[in-house]
Amino acid sequence: MKDVEGTCSGRHGFVVAITGIESVGNGLVRNGTAFVTFPVKYQCVVFRPFKGQILEAVVTLVNKAIWDSSEAGPVQIFVSKHLIPDDTEFQAGDMPNYTTSDGSVKIQKECVVRLKIIGTRVDATEIFCVGTIKDDFLGVINDPAAA
Amino acid sequence: KMSVASDSPVHSSSSDDLAAFLETELDSDSDSSSESFPIGQAHDDDDAQVSNHRLKRQKLEYPEDETENVASVTFSEEISEASSSKVPCEHPGTFGNMCFVCGQKVEVTGVSFGYIHKGFKLQQDEVTRLRDIDMKALQSQRKLCLVLDLDHTLLNSTVLRDLKPEEEYLKSHTHSLQDVSGGDIFMLEFMHMMTKLRPFVHSFLKEASTMFVMYIYTMGDRPYARQMAKLLDPKGEYFGERIISRDDGTMKHQKSLDVVLGKEKAVLILDDTENAWPGHKDNLIVIERYHFFASSCKQFDHRFQSLSQLKSDESEPDGVLSAVLKVLKQTHSLFFQDGGEDLSSRDVRSLLKQVRKEILKGCKLVFSRVFPTKCQAEDHPLWRVAEGLGATCATEVDASVTHVVAMDVGTEKVRWAIREKKFVVHRGWIDAANYLWKKQPEENFGLEQLKKQGTDDVIVEKLRDMVVDAYTLSNPNQVHEDVILKARDACYMAQFSFSTLM
């Protein structure tokens, strides 16, 4: 069970937690070893982000003039500078961040932001997402270092 | 069939319509939004008709789903309208294979910037745009860009099994990995390596960071590069994520500034290998190799003992890094001098040349029996190097000549120089000035020094004969004189790199 939790399938998304086992099928003995494989039907909670979805995520990395990367559970979301409001400027330093021109809003590591997913790409083991905070009602929700 | 409960706006219920909708959503590409709408809208109508019924059933279980569902459908409609009225996206770059501005699937082209984020690529126009932004930011901070090599430049690493018995004592001198500040030799058991940082490196990085935004660019792999960065920069304040390894380079066995987000005219490179940077020789400051471990010496074919075997090390205040730091300071202050706003015309490459030309300024050199007779003296690399160092070169002696560069005592020019009390040096004097960025005392490079090769004289003779034979064989048409000169040159070049160790 532990092997499946945390994996990702392209079709269904990340398996977050198994909630129950429906049935266990007949076992098949594997050639060459004494192991037996059982097909198991189970119920689980999955996480699959969709395009257009609005999520809250924690910022994990802020980079100069390019982007910030946020995490929403097991998914990493990439937000490019193009999709951050125009009036924010990058500030380098110990804690690199993006600050608005009037200094009122700061986007830095550990901030929680609300973003919209504008594209997802799924491969066998991972889901990549691209997001934006340029629309209405998006942006920083909570800044732990807020003055 | 798996039943799915997720965070997405589409909730799960036992309705057939919804199940069908889900199936289509999951099967189709999530990037294409058009397919979901007809079904979404149908669902909406359906919803309205059976809304009463559903509300009663679901209120207890999923109270917020009803409103969420309606909201998500209208929301999706808005997206499709909005995207059709936008300016066509230029796709400045991709993450995975999606454009990170519009989210569409695009063909993946452009330069890979894997060290910034996995799967991140930028188009050339976007790279140029970012470099321009970077230039402005740097200028406001009065900083330039510095790209640093790791091996033999800032540190020297060895695989544990290559340690010689005389080097075993080092194991008891290694610093703890828990607190790397102040330490300079580390044991990395999990990588089967030992690393020695070059003397003066901490002060070097500290001072350089006030003038430069620094990058690491190494031919090692990414885990090695990250680990070395942790030793040199435990707080992450000097390099940040600017750690480029061979996994991030665009070409095998070569380094290039294409993955550096800085304008070429504001980037300086510090590396021990000139040939690693074929396209950027003007930005490069070549530094003397740091050989601490015996295995490192062996790799470059040294016959002398390594610093670890001699239980000694480079001098801190007078060492190579200190000399290079002075050059960096000089170039930096030339770039930002006058404090004018128009720094866009300044180019760090021409400034570096300018700094170099100060080294042998005022010297007039004549070469005696150094170049093969068939070759044009002005084209010889040594002539070029000397001119690059600011010296004037001539083919004939006259009163204004200050130095005669020769390899043998018996030439006419050398005799003239001794008569006229001019300096007589061998070519090592020029090479040393080139490497150390400073004019060296001529006494250390007199012709008598050439003869002092110690116990290796016999080996040198044999080597010389071998090289002469090899050259004769491969150049049957060349005058014997020239062959001897070339052979002697080659021997000399090989030896020179040993002598600088002392």
Side-chain angles (χ1 to χ4, degrees):
Chain A
M1 283 208 314
K2 298 299 165 195
D3 293 336
V4 168
E5 285 179 355
T7 61
C8 166
S9 113
R11 205 173 122 89
H12 303 293
F14 280 100
V15 174
V16 176
I18 296 189
T19 54
I21 301 205
E22 259 183 36
S23 64
V24 178
N26 291 326
L28 270 174
V29 180
R30 285 213 215 141
N31 281 336
T33 69
F35 286 108
V36 182
T37 311
F38 293 92
V40 178
K41 281 214 173 85
Y42 56 90
Q43 288 182 352
C44 59
V45 176
V46 291
F47 176 51
R48 190 187 191 281
F50 284 89
K51 177 171 167 176
Q53 181 171 356
I54 298 189
L55 303 168
E56 287 164 13
V58 175
V59 176
T60 49
L61 189 42
V62 178
N63 183 270
K64 70 158 185 204
I66 304 172
W67 60 287
D68 82 69
S69 152
S70 329
E71 263 180 27
V75 170
Q76 273 220 331
I77 305 166
F78 179 103
V79 180
S80 133
K81 173 74 173 73
H82 294 260
L83 298 173
I84 295 179
D86 292 326
D87 62 348
T88 46
E89 288 278 316
F90 178 75
Q91 318 270 0
D94 258 2
M95 273 291 255
N97 59 66
Y98 280 96
T99 312
T100 50
S101 38
D102 55 4
S104 58
V105 182
K106 246 194 197 179
I107 307 172
Q108 61 186 19
K109 204 167 159 176
E110 304 295 307
C111 268
V112 181
V113 295
R114 182 174 288 134
L115 48 83
K116 180 165 89 190
I117 297 192
I118 56 165
T120 63
R121 186 186 83 110
V122 173
D123 76 18
T125 53
E126 276 185 280
I127 297 184
F128 299 98
C129 296
V130 173
T132 173
I133 56 170
K134 212 170 183 179
D135 280 341
D136 294 338
F137 311 115
L138 301 178
V140 178
I141 299 170
N142 167 41
D143 181 4
Chain B
K1 198 161 82 172
M2 201 174 3
S3 59
V4 169
S6 73
D7 285 340
S8 83
V10 182
H11 68 272
S12 64
S13 77
S14 49
S15 138
D16 281 346
D17 274 339
L18 180 56
F21 168 59
L22 261 183
E23 283 294 319
T24 346
E25 261 296 305
L26 290 173
D27 286 347
S28 76
D29 225 352
S30 79
D31 292 349
S32 61
S33 48
S34 50
E35 287 172 22
S36 53
F37 298 135
I39 304 174
Q41 283 173 346
H43 178 72
D44 197 16
D45 293 337
D46 211 17
D47 221 6
Q49 284 169 14
V50 298
S51 59
N52 288 335
H53 188 61
R54 186 163 295 163
L55 268 173
K56 278 186 205 149
R57 197 165 35 134
Q58 291 168 0
K59 227 186 236 171
L60 298 162
E61 294 165 33
Y62 313 110
E64 63 273 4
D65 278 357
E66 172 88 309
T67 38
E68 210 185 280
N69 206 28
V70 172
S72 73
V73 169
T74 37
F75 186 58
S76 326
E77 282 169 12
E78 275 169 19
I79 300 178
S80 77
E81 279 167 18
S83 52
S84 57
S85 61
K86 258 196 278 196
V87 172
C89 177
E90 287 167 353
H91 308 309
T94 54
F95 175 53
N97 61 354
M98 295 181 284
C99 163
F100 53 61
V101 173
C102 65
Q104 279 176 46
K105 242 202 184 126
V106 287
E107 227 185 84
V108 180
T109 52
V111 184
S112 204
F113 283 82
Y115 66 95
I116 297 181
H117 197 274
K118 196 171 97 161
F120 180 49
K121 278 189 177 201
L122 289 171
Q123 292 292 345
Q124 204 45 53
D125 290 340
E126 178 71 359
V127 175
T128 315
R129 187 189 79 94
L130 288 171
R131 283 193 175 139
D132 286 333
I133 296 178
D134 183 69
M135 188 71 185
K136 288 201 190 94
L138 284 187
Q139 279 179 8
S140 63
Q141 293 176 319
R142 281 178 69 90
K143 282 191 175 178
L144 295 170
C145 242
L146 181 61
V147 176
L148 296 164
D149 176 48
L150 287 180
D151 294 302
H152 305 108
T153 301
L154 297 180
L155 46 85
N156 187 211
S157 295
T158 182
V159 181
L160 285 176
R161 63 162 187 267
D162 284 345
L163 276 180
K164 288 233 161 103
E166 312 92 82
E167 296 179 301
E168 293 289 319
Y169 76 94
L170 291 169
K171 285 190 177 164
S172 53
H173 284 67
T174 57
H175 231 78
S176 149
L177 286 174
Q178 305 310 320
D179 173 26
V180 301
S181 57
D184 59 350
I185 182 161
F186 302 95
M187 169 80 87
L188 301 159
E189 292 267 11
F190 51 96
M191 289 178 103
H192 312 293
M193 272 189 178
M194 200 188 267
T195 300
K196 168 79 174 62
L197 302 183
R198 197 166 198 166
F200 197 69
V201 76
H202 295 293
S203 324
F204 175 86
L205 288 175
K206 191 156 176 208
E207 280 208 57
S209 68
T210 60
M211 303 182 282
F212 296 92
V213 167
M214 301 195 286
Y215 283 72
I216 285 181
Y217 196 144
T218 175
M219 280 312 208
D221 62 14
R222 201 173 283 147
Y224 175 75
R226 300 264 151 107
Q227 181 57 51
M228 294 299 119
K230 276 197 210 145
L231 297 179
L232 290 166
D233 180 23
K235 294 190 198 149
E237 54 187 337
Y238 300 136
F239 302 109
E241 80 287 345
R242 292 177 300 273
I243 302 170
I244 306 173
S245 64
R246 72 159 179 257
D247 302 327
D248 304 306
T250 47
M251 290 172 286
K252 265 192 167 181
H253 310 302
Q254 262 181 32
K255 297 183 182 177
S256 167
L257 291 178
D258 56 356
V259 285
V260 171
L261 282 168
K263 273 200 125 127
E264 275 186 41
K265 66 179 191 186
V267 178
L268 283 174
I269 310 170
L270 193 62
D271 200 323
D272 64 290
T273 316
E274 193 176 350
N275 296 328
W277 294 93
H280 302 283
K281 295 226 164 110
D282 291 333
N283 300 73
L284 176 60
I285 298 175
V286 182
I287 192 175
E288 217 186 309
R289 286 199 178 113
Y290 182 52
H291 295 294
F292 185 75
F293 296 108
S295 61
S296 173
C297 278
K298 210 168 68 150
Q299 197 185 10
F300 287 94
D301 193 35
H302 277 230
R303 286 173 282 134
F304 285 89
Q305 292 210 304
S306 69
L307 291 166
S308 59
Q309 288 165 305
L310 294 168
K311 295 216 165 96
S312 113
D313 206 351
E314 273 185 10
S315 148
E316 262 218 31
D318 280 326
V320 175
L321 280 181
S322 173
V324 170
L325 185 63
K326 292 196 184 95
V327 175
L328 291 175
K329 274 192 186 150
Q330 236 180 316
T331 318
H332 178 270
S333 63
L334 273 177
F335 193 94
F336 288 108
Q337 84 181 167
D338 304 334
E341 281 313 306
D342 180 28
L343 297 173
S344 53
S345 55
R346 304 244 170 119
D347 189 329
V348 88
R349 290 169 288 196
S350 48
L351 293 175
L352 198 62
K353 284 200 176 102
Q354 209 178 312
V355 170
R356 207 186 221 127
K357 285 211 157 160
E358 298 287 317
I359 301 172
L360 290 186
K361 196 164 164 186
C363 299
K364 187 160 177 190
L365 314 179
V366 166
F367 296 90
S368 169
R369 281 264 225 107
V370 176
F371 308 133
T373 45
K374 272 213 177 148
C375 138
Q376 269 287 78
E378 295 85 30
D379 293 334
H380 195 274
L382 191 60
W383 180 292
R384 296 260 174 88
V385 167
E387 288 196 320
L389 292 167
T392 350
C393 300
T395 42
E396 292 305 325
V397 294
D398 63 41
S400 59
V401 169
T402 54
H403 296 72
V404 170
V405 181
M407 302 298 270
D408 283 321
V409 224
T411 72
E412 222 186 83
K413 293 196 174 97
V414 171
R415 285 195 288 264
W416 173 89
I418 298 175
R419 270 199 315 269
E420 302 290 317
K421 307 258 200 295
K422 306 283 187 183
F423 288 114
V424 178
V425 288
H426 61 78
R427 63 165 290 171
W429 181 76
I430 302 177
D431 293 324
N434 197 22
Y435 267 111
L436 301 173
W437 289 78
K438 206 165 68 161
K439 191 165 96 159
Q440 303 295 304
E442 286 83 350
E443 310 84 70
N444 299 347
F445 293 89
L447 293 180
E448 325 75 59
Q449 307 290 332
L450 263 189
K451 303 270 171 66
K452 286 188 190 159
Q453 294 303 331
T455 53
D456 301 301
D457 252 346
V458 175
I459 305 174
V460 166
E461 290 291 336
K462 285 219 171 90
L463 209 68
R464 195 172 289 169
D465 291 336
M466 272 167 41
V467 174
V468 170
D469 290 337
Y471 267 106
T472 325
L473 271 172
S474 59
N475 299 288
N477 298 322
Q478 277 210 317
V479 172
H480 188 64
E481 272 277 303
D482 289 351
V483 169
I484 298 275
L485 282 172
K486 272 202 181 148
R488 190 188 58 196
D489 235 11
C491 279
Y492 183 76
M493 282 307 283
Q495 287 170 49
F496 172 69
S497 42
F498 307 160
S499 62
T500 53
L501 241 188
M502 297 196 292

